[in-house]
Amino acid sequence: MQTSGKVLVAGAGGFIGGWLVQDLINKGFKDIVAVDIKESDDWYQVFDSVENRRIDLRDYGNCLEVMKGVDIVYNLAADMGGMGFIENNKALCMLSVLINTNLIEVARSNNVERYFYASSACVYRQSMQLETHNLGLKESDAYPADPENGYGWEKLFSERMCNHYFEDFGLQVRVGRFHNVYGPHGTFDGGREKAPAAICRKIAQAVISGNHHIEIWGDGEQTRSFTYIDDTLKGINLLMESQYSLPLNIGSSEEVSINQLVDIVEEIAGIKVERRYALDAPKGVRGRNSDNTLIKELFNWAPNVTLKEGLTQTYNWIYRELD
Ligand code: NAD
């Protein structure tokens, strides 16, 4: 794998961005610029060996300035969160279009070698996600377009922009469609957390407080597949090293209901909780899963960390943070 050149990680103060910077350092990259809009105190992981910058990437001038001499770009910056956030902040989610638009245009004018865009399973057609059991969404299922309102439309638009920058200008784009990424050093409270972190936090709080009631959004029968951070990084690396320039699922295909997710975390924590169902809470689509036929064909690999393994790491980290 190439380990030379200057790399920009946009959204480096976030969950996946923080892990990606660590991964790039481990791989031997020496010249890394880590950028986020947040104060550095709020970054999940900060590495002194890289250049850390606090910048708003919705501003074109900022993108021009920070991209000087950059060869490889990873765009993981977005205003996002779990269902509770994206269902109530559709316009804010769509404003992330400015980040990708500015970054990709500067990448083109600077002749950047490779450009990664973090897309999402939220681009998939909602009408294909009405049942709890989902056989798996394959890449072509994003069309005809009917993505998640706000957040999903922004992701689908930005994916297409990447695609057209490749077609029209030859910019080497790589687009990963992430499916519910989880792991330590990510959001677990405050309203932007996703289901795995939220359930780990609620059960850890139950252990700590002795109050063994937790709230579950919806009836708990909605399904998802959850991808551990190590698998996500491996998928990003394989895609970046490949010649494949169209959107690719980077997601686990281990389908579970939210109730089954709770069962697993209960087992890890060693307690049983009383589940109270908040039927009016945001719940998103009824069933979503990743079809991994294409990633297996391309790389002879697909995400394979089991939910039990990944949740054990995640629960233990959240428990320590709370305790
Ligand atoms: P995150 O919220 O932890 O990280 C995103 C980071 O982008 C944040 O630290 C945020 O401060 C930063 N950011 C937002 N606006 C910015 C701006 N204007 N300028 C600079 N930085 C800005 O999210 P994450 O889970 O690490 O997700 C990373 C990427 O992957 C995002 O694009 C997200 O949409 C995508 N994604 C994530 C998941 C998931 O399950 N985590 C699933 C699908 C897609």
Side-chain angles (χ1 to χ4, degrees):
M1 179 191 181
Q2 177 193 346
T3 55
S4 58
K6 185 169 179 178
V7 186
L8 177 96
V9 179
F15 163 49
I16 304 172
W19 282 109
L20 181 65
V21 172
Q22 164 132 81
D23 192 49
L24 293 166
I25 295 170
N26 292 345
K27 287 194 161 52
F29 281 94
K30 299 275 180 267
D31 200 357
I32 301 171
V33 192
V35 177
D36 205 284
I37 196 171
K38 293 187 298 202
E39 298 274 3
S40 57
D41 283 353
D42 295 329
W43 292 28
Y44 289 111
Q45 303 190 65
V46 181
F47 303 93
D48 293 338
S49 59
V50 311
E51 184 186 343
N52 296 301
R53 306 274 310 264
R54 184 181 173 218
I55 283 178
D56 183 350
L57 294 166
R58 288 170 302 186
D59 182 278
Y60 182 72
N62 286 343
C63 290
L64 262 183
E65 194 261 320
V66 81
M67 292 261 285
K68 280 188 192 131
V70 165
D71 303 297
I72 301 166
V73 176
Y74 290 88
N75 177 13
L76 298 145
D79 217 341
M80 60 88 67
M83 270 304 144
F85 181 80
I86 66 177
E87 284 199 1
N88 294 308
N89 295 277
K90 299 187 184 83
L92 258 189
C93 289
M94 292 208 81
L95 277 177
S96 297
V97 76
L98 297 173
I99 301 173
N100 193 60
T101 305
N102 290 327
L103 281 176
I104 201 166
E105 173 52 16
V106 178
R108 178 199 67 79
S109 60
N110 286 8
N111 293 316
V112 155
E113 282 171 28
R114 230 151 245 219
Y115 185 94
F116 179 86
Y117 176 65
S119 185
S120 161
C122 287
V123 299
Y124 284 114
R125 235 183 308 160
Q126 296 185 77
S127 57
M128 292 191 70
Q129 304 173 75
L130 302 175
E131 307 296 330
T132 50
H133 176 49
N134 190 309
L135 286 173
L137 295 154
K138 46 183 188 304
E139 285 74 1
S140 55
D141 291 334
Y143 296 98
D146 176 27
E148 183 83 38
N149 262 324
Y151 178 73
W153 275 105
E154 190 278 320
K155 291 291 181 195
L156 195 62
F157 176 88
S158 294
E159 277 192 359
R160 287 188 78 92
M161 202 154 181
C162 291
N163 188 228
H164 296 318
Y165 266 69
F166 172 70
E167 291 169 344
D168 295 0
F169 307 122
L171 181 68
Q172 287 298 318
V173 296
R174 303 291 179 261
V175 178
R177 281 186 188 153
F178 298 160
H179 289 244
N180 279 301
V181 187
Y182 71 99
H185 296 286
T187 311
F188 65 87
D189 61 6
R192 288 182 187 246
E193 64 277 19
K194 295 184 156 215
I199 299 297
C200 285
R201 184 201 75 226
K202 288 174 187 183
I203 294 190
Q205 280 169 337
V207 171
I208 292 163
S209 68
N211 175 2
H212 289 192
H213 298 116
I214 69 160
E215 184 184 81
I216 293 176
W217 288 6
D219 63 4
E221 291 307 305
Q222 64 273 35
T223 60
R224 294 291 184 277
S225 66
F226 298 101
T227 316
Y228 191 57
I229 184 66
D230 291 3
D231 275 339
T232 306
L233 293 173
K234 179 154 186 189
I236 296 173
N237 286 326
L238 288 168
L239 184 54
M240 278 301 259
E241 287 164 33
S242 77
Q243 295 305 313
Y244 194 75
S245 57
L246 292 172
L248 180 69
N249 279 337
I250 300 180
S252 163
S253 56
E254 184 183 348
E255 182 189 74
V256 283
S257 68
I258 298 301
N259 281 324
Q260 288 169 322
L261 179 74
V262 177
D263 293 342
I264 297 173
V265 182
E266 279 182 335
E267 202 185 322
I268 294 165
I271 62 164
K272 285 278 176 201
V273 291
E274 188 187 312
R275 305 171 189 195
R276 292 178 179 164
Y277 294 95
L279 298 178
D280 293 338
K283 354 175 217 299
V285 292
R286 192 68 176 148
R288 175 178 290 164
N289 194 4
S290 178
D291 180 302
N292 287 342
T293 310
L294 183 56
I295 195 168
K296 284 181 191 160
E297 266 172 33
L298 288 170
F299 307 138
N300 197 22
W301 175 86
N304 53 33
V305 176
T306 65
L307 199 48
K308 178 80 187 286
E309 290 169 305
L311 281 173
T312 303
Q313 302 297 325
T314 311
Y315 175 84
N316 288 339
W317 178 76
I318 291 176
Y319 183 89
R320 283 196 301 273
E321 290 289 302
L322 288 171
D323 200 28

